[in-house]
């Protein structure tokens, strides 16, 4: 028996097969065996003598479970089946016959990223390829759920509104989604987790090899050899030094709630795991003042529970919580803690009743306990980028996420508070839900505030959040007036954005044995740390 069609004829030169619906018999060598029902229920095979047309692929997927006919990589097979397009993938389904005719080999084709402009991976669909260049891990959001990661040639991918010079079209062409050859959700064994642990964004894989295929609206690689990520972005156990006599931090806690089953932890076990991670982060920051976001708005209960747990680790009375005078009506609010042995609040905490703030800012002046110049902390959490069905037209998505106009109004209101309260040394910190080159940040900068991360943090390290595979800075620290000259340094401690969510406090779906009571993946936002030179007295 011999083939009646070549694989290239079945594939054709377009995005869909010209033979869809017809039954064909084709021959090739198995390049990827994923026949188990917990895998893809089939195998990839490829013509070792391809045609001369570079527009036609020479590989196919056969939807044939191992119970039908078990094959292995290197088998030369004759496959009979009906040509189908399954969610954009050309395959044989159903398969009616598989005959092993011998053995053969297919050398993976060297493939480079980025792809040329105007091209896709279609000519390589279902074929064996290898990427000799180093590929940087840029997204692991679905690592635990679907076994997927995204890598890119040329380094990390950034939000186009976070910095100048980002080319989204080029970034798309230099990216590759790597799958795990499985259909299992939340697998007990997570792929790509080796002796080095769970890979971080910025880690690097070399010689990535597998079958290029298509599914869920994107080309993806099913690996045929083990992929190992080198730790090219190692963890830092403590933040980089920022100098100064006073250290100020900003931390989004990712819904620290003492009320179970609301936004934060669902069980006591999860709550204690979450608390341990937040405490470890605060210990590592070792800041004299910390502005906190996403703390449950239940009076002093949630923030005091955090202070009590922190002091149990670092010493009784080391930290004290401020009381927000007007926390607003949201279920979360901003707050702050401080070291009373290091700094002293000057006057009472203030806020604003302006309805533009859904989560009103917390404003508190501090000076060192030994006297000297003061600074005023302004803790913020601007409106998120998420869209609501009733969002007015000006606040709908216009390239900077929903509610951009509202965030601009909030930025203007912050400037108004600085002016009306005569804050000569303001330090505006928090999760502003705006990337570095978006309108709200420009509004604050045009109002006289200076971004400390833009001034002190190298651009390659200036990010605090990951969304849709793109890194960017949503968390900011901006100084104004006399304080600008007193800033000695600023850093972003990358303990969260680079880390996979399978390391967080949740017990649902996260595999056992990965959780650690450390700072890594304590939140989804990285904390910021700022150094201030405030002379006066001793200590």
């Amino acid at each position: 028996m011999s083939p009646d069609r070549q694989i290239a004829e079945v594939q054709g030169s377009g995005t869909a097969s010209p033979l869809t619906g017809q039954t064909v018999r084709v021959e090739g060598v198995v390049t990827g065996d994923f026949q188990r029902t917990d895998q893809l229920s089939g195998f990839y095979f490829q013509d070792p003598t391809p045609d001369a047309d570079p527009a036609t692929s020479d590989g196919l997927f056969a939807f044939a479970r191992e119970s039908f006919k078990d094959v292995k990589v290197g088998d030369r097979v004759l496959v009979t089946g009906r040509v189908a397009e399954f969610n954009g993938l050309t395959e044989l389904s159903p398969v009616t016959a598989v005959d092993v005719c011998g053995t053969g080999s297919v050398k993976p084709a060297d493939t480079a990223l980025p792809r040329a402009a105007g091209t896709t991976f279609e000519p390589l669909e279902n074929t064996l390829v290898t990427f000799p260049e180093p590929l940087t891990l840029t997204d692991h959001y679905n690592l635990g759920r679907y076994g997927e990661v995204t890598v890119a040639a040329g380094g990390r991918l950034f939000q186009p509104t976070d910095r100048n010079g980002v080319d989204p079209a080029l970034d798309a062409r230099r990216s590759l989604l790597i799958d795990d050859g499985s259909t299992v959700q939340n697998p007990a064994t997570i792929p790509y987790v080796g002796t080095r642990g769970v890979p971080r964004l910025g880690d690097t894989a070399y010689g990535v090899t597998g079958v290029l295929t298509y599914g869920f609206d994107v080309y993806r690689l099913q690996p045929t050899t083990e992929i190992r990520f080198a730790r090219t972005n190692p963890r830092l156990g403590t933040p980089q030094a920022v100098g100064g006599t006073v250290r100020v931090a900003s931390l989004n806690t990712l819904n620290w709630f003492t009320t179970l089953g609301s936004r934060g932890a669902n069980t006591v076990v999860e709550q204690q795991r979450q608390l341990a991670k937040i405490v470890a982060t605060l210990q590592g920051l070792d800041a004299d003042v910390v502005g906190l976001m996403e703390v449950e708005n239940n009076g002093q209960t949630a923030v005091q529970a955090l202070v009590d747990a922190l002091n149990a680790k670092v010493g009784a009375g080391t930290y004290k919580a401020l009381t927000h005078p007007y926390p607003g009506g949201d279920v979360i609010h901003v707050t702050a803690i401080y070291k009373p042995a290091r700094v002293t609040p000057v006057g009472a905490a203030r806020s604003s009743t302006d309805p533009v703030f859904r989560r009103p800012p917390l404003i508190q002046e501090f000076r060192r306990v030994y006297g000297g110049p003061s600074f005023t902390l302004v803790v913020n959490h601007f409106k998120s980028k998420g869209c609501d069905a009733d969002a007015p037209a000006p606040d709908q998505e216009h390239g900077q996420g929903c509610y951009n106009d509202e965030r601009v109004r909030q930025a203007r209101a912050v400037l108004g508070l600085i002016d009306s309260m005569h804050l000569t040394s303001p330090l505006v910190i928090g999760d502003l839900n705006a990337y570095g080159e978006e309108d709200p940040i420009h509004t604050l900068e045009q109002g006289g505030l200076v971004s400390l991360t833009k001034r002190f943090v190298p651009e390659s390290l200036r990010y605090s959040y990951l969304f849709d595979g793109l890194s960017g800075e949503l968390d900011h620290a901006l100084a104004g007036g006399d304080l600008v000259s007193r800033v000695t340094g600023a850093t972003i401690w990358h303990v969260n954005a680079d880390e996979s969510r399978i390391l967080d406090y949740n017990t649902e779906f996260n595999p056992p044995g990965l959780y650690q009571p450390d700072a890594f993946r304590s939140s989804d936002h990285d904390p910021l740390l700022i150094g201030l030179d405030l002379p006066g007295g001793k200590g």
Side-chain angles (χ1 to χ4, degrees), residues 452-470:
L452 302 181
T453 51
K454 287 182 181 178
R455 173 171 287 194
F456 289 98
V457 179
E459 191 170 61
S460 62
L461 298 175
R462 189 177 58 75
Y463 60 89
S464 67
Y465 193 73
L466 175 73
F467 180 74
D468 202 19
L470 304 177

Side-chain angles (χ1 to χ4, degrees), residues 81-97:
R82 184 173 179 269
V83 180
E85 290 291 329
F86 181 74
N87 294 332
L89 177 70
T90 303
E91 61 178 42
L92 298 185
S93 176
V95 171
T96 55

Side-chain angles (χ1 to χ4, degrees), residues 162-187:
D162 190 66
R163 60 203 58 212
N164 296 319
V166 175
D167 183 343
L170 174 60
D171 286 351
R173 298 199 312 274
R174 64 187 181 97
S175 301
L176 174 70
L177 189 148
I178 301 177
D179 209 339
D180 65 343
S182 169
T183 58
V184 175
Q185 293 189 32
N186 305 303

Side-chain angles (χ1 to χ4, degrees), residues 150-170:
T150 300
V151 295
R156 186 185 297 263
L157 306 178
F158 289 100
Q159 292 285 348
T161 55
D162 190 66
R163 60 203 58 212
N164 296 319
V166 175
D167 183 343
L170 174 60

